[in-house]
Amino acid sequence: MKRFIFALAVLVLSATATAQMKVSGTLSDVNGKPVAGVTVSDGFTCVQTNAKGQYKMTTSSDAVHIFYSIPAEYKVSVKDGHPDFYKRLDKKVKKYDFTLTPAEGGAEKQFRLLMVADPQAQCPFHVKRFERETVPDIRAYVDAQSLPCYGVTLGDIVYTEGKHKTNYLMEPMRRAMSYENTHLLFFQTIGNHDFDEPPVSLSKGTSTYNLAYQRAFERVFGPVNYSWNRGDVHIVSMKDYIADDNPDKFRYHKEHGNPSFTDEQVEWLRQDLEAVSKDKMVILCLHIGLYNRMRKNCNEVRKLIAQFKESHIMIGHTHFMNHNVNAYGTFEHVHAAASGAYWWSCVNGDGAPNGYTIYDVDGAHI
């Protein structure tokens, strides 16, 4: 019996490890013109479209989506009030095409970024506060602007912690942040409280518990490691912690508060940045602050983004403001939370009001 169980386990793992897909597709504009030089990725490998707008790649057995890095010269496509740049992989589908719309007037050299850290909804009442306080404020601000505006969350959109399970709040929070409500297109970043609740299981296409825990977020908000472009700015969102390899552990993320990246993430980032000109600005959106910590692969990530004309790291997690310039000259901005002190009042722990931070971008400079 023991031999049979062991053999079965080997067969299951082997099936998971070989579940790769050869996919292809074409990126073209609304007039059918091919769009060349665009990065297409599954979150593990990056390729670029050729002169005919075509790409081919073999996806990772762990990949959930295929997506493109939105070029600066094209509009952000919209579906159901959210950026539409990815498709969910289906083993029955081998071809994934994307249609892009050229931006009127070309790339937006000037625009505004709204960074929203830690909405952190722990219950329906918190969703209501976000809808009644944060959302109308954002909408009023955006409506008053003459420059284009884009939004980025910095993680902890909800608050799953141990036996307190809040994945059911992801969908209402996504609806709250829709373009219809905020007049803003939001790009999402995963936080440590946006993980699936334990226990989780390994299924076909998920080789580690670290990946299994992020599947709930991916189902609602899309890719975890991805990039997009506006003007002279390349913007990246990444997960920056590694979950415990334990399907039942309620304190399921390693060393709460310490950032880290897998080797696969670093390789993805290296490939993604290879296609970006060094005279651009790179903004890396994470949840947990890197500061000058030397946790797994943190220094490799710092070095990769420091190659560019200007680099910034955007952070949430702490629920108070902080600023740091690391050894490579990259400015790390730590943001007060939209939820303040976990929606207990209207302020964060340092007295900053519940809210968000606005950045003016001009060329390759903030």
Side-chain angles (χ1 to χ4, degrees), residues 161-204:
E161 174 70 53
K163 296 182 180 180
H164 184 72
K165 305 174 182 181
T166 57
N167 290 345
Y168 72 100
L169 297 174
M170 286 185 177
E171 284 287 2
M173 286 297 288
R174 186 176 189 271
R175 289 193 295 270
M177 287 185 274
S178 70
Y179 186 85
E180 179 183 11
N181 290 324
T182 62
H183 297 179
L184 192 68
L185 290 174
F186 266 105
F187 292 83
Q188 310 290 352
T189 308
I190 191 171
N192 57 288
H193 291 296
D194 297 321
F195 261 16
D196 205 347
E197 66 269 11
V200 296
S201 60
L202 297 183
S203 58
K204 190 172 183 179

Side-chain angles (χ1 to χ4, degrees), residues 46 48 267 269-278 308:
C46 299
Q48 279 73 48
E267 176 58 21
L269 181 62
R270 184 189 65 76
Q271 292 183 24
D272 175 78
L273 295 178
E274 277 183 346
V276 181
S277 172
K278 293 296 189 291
F308 296 86

